[in-house]
C-alpha cells in the first residue's frame, strides 16, 4: 500500500555493524521490495557529515561497514567515526583516536 501511495519510502536504521549493501541483501532475502537508495543508516548520516565537513576520519567501525566509506580519505585523520566495533577498541587504536 505504501508503494502505491504518493509517498517517499525510506528504511531507516541505526545499525553500524553492516554496510548498506549487506543490509539491502538481508532485507531482500526477507522479502522486502527495496532499493539501495531507500535505505538510510547511521553510517549514511556519518558519511554525509564527513563529506560536508571535508574531514579525514579514523574509522572505528566494523570491517563490514567499511564499504559505506569508500572514497572517503582517511590519511592523516582529523576526525573519528565510532561504531559498534569491539575488535577495534584496544589500547593502540584508542590511543590513535585520542591523538
Amino acid at each position: 500500500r505504501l508503494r502505491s501511495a504518493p509517498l517517499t519510502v525510506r528504511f531507516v536504521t541505526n545499525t553500524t555493524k553492516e554496510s548498506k549493501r549487506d543490509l539491502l541483501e538481508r532485507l531482500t532475502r526477507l522479502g522486502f521490495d527495496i532499493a539501495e537508495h531507500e535505505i538510510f543508516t547511521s553510517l549514511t548520516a556519518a558519511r554525509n557529515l564527513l563529506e560536508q565537513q571535508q574531514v579525514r576520519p579514523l574509522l572505528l567501525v566494523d570491517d563490514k561497514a567499511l564499504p559505506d566509506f569508500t572514497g572517503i580519505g582517511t590519511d592523516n585523520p582529523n576526525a573519528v567515526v565510532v561504531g559498534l566495533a569491539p575488535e577495534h577498541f584496544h589500547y593502540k587504536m584508542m590511543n590513535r583516536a585520542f591523538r
Side-chain angles (χ1 to χ4, degrees):
R1 289 174 34 195
L2 283 173
R3 294 280 186 211
S4 63
L7 300 169
T8 300
V9 175
R10 293 289 180 261
F11 295 79
V12 180
T13 178
N14 66 348
T15 186
T16 61
K17 286 288 289 179
E18 60 187 328
S19 69
K20 191 185 292 191
R21 174 68 58 186
D22 290 342
L23 186 57
L24 173 64
E25 290 173 9
R26 186 160 54 94
L27 291 172
T28 301
R29 280 194 312 270
L30 291 171
F32 284 88
D33 176 22
I34 184 173
E36 186 172 346
H37 74 273
E38 294 176 311
I39 300 172
F40 189 87
T41 71
S42 53
L43 297 175
T44 306
R47 183 189 176 102
N48 291 346
L49 184 62
L50 294 170
E51 291 175 335
Q52 289 170 6
Q53 298 294 314
Q54 298 181 344
V55 294
R56 300 171 310 278
L58 172 64
L59 297 170
L60 290 178
V61 298
D62 192 279
D63 291 344
K64 292 182 216 166
L66 290 174
D68 283 2
F69 296 96
T70 299
I72 296 286
T74 57
D75 293 338
N76 193 23
N78 59 0
V80 179
V81 173
V82 179
L84 182 60
E87 69 279 5
H88 294 301
F89 285 81
H90 49 77
Y91 179 80
K92 182 178 177 181
M93 187 62 81
M94 296 305 293
N95 195 36
R96 186 172 172 211
F98 282 110
R99 288 177 189 262

